[in-house]
Amino acid sequence: MLKTNVDKVVEMFLECKPGQPRVGAGWKVDHQGIPFLLPSIGGITLNVQAGESAFGLAGDHIEPGVSCTANADKPNDFPNNSLQILSCVGNEARIVSGEAKGETGIVLGHHGGSEHIIVEFARSVKERMTYDDKILIRAKGQGLILTDYPSIKLFNLDPDLLQKMGITGDGKTLKVPVTTMVPASCMGSGVGRAHVGAGDYDVMTSDPATVKHHKLDQMRFGDFVALMDHDNSYGRAFVQGAVSIGILVHSDCRLAGHGPGISTLMTCPLSLIEPVLDSNANIANLLKIGVHGN
């Protein structure tokens, strides 16, 4: 068991509801100059879930599961900003109104720009949901510290999920299972944001040779991935030798500078995080949700 300050971490309820799908007013143009009209961010997405491929969908920036907001009209203001920062990956979400009342799901991460949190519910639950349903997030995780590894910072991570990720340490470095190691040159939209307590940033997939070489097109929703030479301690930045660990939260994208989105979970400016390739390093496998649900 990794030693943490879990007994000091604050736990509270946050309220939100499903956010309507959002599309632009007209054509978008991809990085090859081809216009397209496709489903995009938001919604109760019935047929996309954790554990499935983030590539090949007839969509752009697709968020799996249920995209949730506390204030759709003012996504960057209270109370949605609190929902974004305090919700953590692995937190329980419970529906408290409507036909699906009492059903539970799991927070998968945050998507910047849309300012949604993304919650995995079983398809049988999503089929009974509406955009008026209220959802309570049992928020816990911001402020979590690895007491034996003070140089490694944690963000957006439920304490219970941390202990299930198969992470091992020798007192100096941590070995973290991941499905993919992403080179620094592939990190695009979202680089430079001042903090990583909300939002995500994208793995650019516009270069086919790079995608093939690093097997980026094999990534799935809910995969834990390593961002090489990227430090997220006080924003998203290139730092040689740094490693950040994140979770994949939205699909591949057609726009220049975009691709699958990664929410940050762990980071260090020093080479103290050692990613270990493991094809099972996905939240759906750990928590038996998504492709392992119903």
Side-chain angles (χ1 to χ4, degrees):
M1 295 285 288
L2 296 169
K3 294 181 180 180
T4 70
N5 66 333
V6 64
D7 59 323
K8 304 297 183 183
V9 174
V10 176
E11 185 174 14
M12 61 178 61
F13 281 130
L14 304 171
E15 186 175 282
C16 58
K17 63 181 182 178
Q20 294 275 1
R22 301 182 189 178
V23 295
W27 295 98
K28 292 183 178 180
V29 180
D30 71 12
H31 63 86
Q32 295 178 318
I34 301 172
F36 64 90
L37 289 173
L38 291 169
S40 188
I41 61 177
I44 301 171
T45 307
L46 297 173
N47 63 336
V48 183
Q49 58 190 345
E52 294 180 339
S53 176
F55 289 77
L57 294 170
D60 184 85
H61 287 84
I62 295 297
E63 300 167 348
V66 179
S67 304
C68 297
T69 177
N71 188 343
D73 295 328
K74 296 181 178 180
N76 295 301
D77 297 336
F78 178 82
N80 199 53
N81 53 358
S82 301
L83 175 73
Q84 297 299 309
I85 292 175
L86 298 179
S87 296
C88 290
V89 177
N91 286 168
E92 181 189 79
R94 178 165 52 90
I95 303 170
V96 295
S97 69
E99 187 180 339
K101 181 179 179 179
E103 300 284 2
T104 60
I106 296 293
V107 175
L108 292 183
H110 316 88
H111 186 184
S114 63
E115 307 307 326
H116 288 144
I117 65 166
I118 300 165
V119 183
E120 175 68 30
F121 288 102
R123 176 160 185 165
S124 60
V125 175
K126 292 186 286 187
E127 293 278 5
R128 292 180 282 137
M129 294 180 69
T130 76
Y131 290 100
D132 292 322
D133 288 347
K134 292 183 179 180
I135 300 169
L136 280 184
I137 308 297
R138 184 178 288 271
K140 186 177 183 180
Q142 296 297 30
L144 187 66
I145 294 171
L146 291 164
T147 54
D148 291 341
Y149 300 87
S151 296
I152 299 175
K153 295 180 173 61
L154 302 179
F155 296 98
N156 314 315
L157 184 55
D158 186 284
D160 291 337
L161 178 59
L162 170 68
Q163 301 294 352
K164 295 177 180 178
M165 290 173 65
I167 300 170
T168 59
D170 59 9
K172 184 177 180 181
T173 63
L174 288 182
K175 292 185 177 181
V176 182
V178 298
T179 65
T180 311
M181 298 186 190
V182 181
S185 58
C186 286
M187 298 315 298
S189 177
V191 170
R193 181 162 178 165
H195 72 83
V196 295
D200 69 304
Y201 66 140
D202 289 8
V203 179
M204 295 186 290
T205 53
S206 53
D207 184 65
T210 301
V211 170
K212 181 178 180 181
H213 179 73
H214 294 281
K215 300 180 180 180
L216 302 180
D217 55 354
Q218 295 183 22
M219 293 191 296
R220 303 158 298 179
F221 298 110
D223 272 359
F224 299 111
V225 303
L227 310 179
M228 308 306 293
D229 298 311
H230 267 249
D231 176 30
N232 286 188
S233 299
Y234 303 103
R236 303 182 180 117
F238 170 80
V239 175
Q240 195 165 15
V243 177
S244 294
I245 304 296
I247 186 170
L248 196 153
V249 297
H250 72 67
S251 77
D252 191 23
C253 318
R254 303 190 180 204
L255 302 178
H258 290 259
I262 310 297
S263 285
T264 302
L265 302 177
M266 179 182 300
T267 192
C268 186
L270 308 173
S271 299
L272 302 181
I273 299 174
E274 181 183 344
V276 178
L277 288 176
D278 181 350
S279 61
N280 290 314
N282 184 290
I283 195 172
N285 296 329
L286 299 187
L287 301 185
K288 303 305 178 186
I289 58 174
V291 295
H292 300 295
N294 55 10

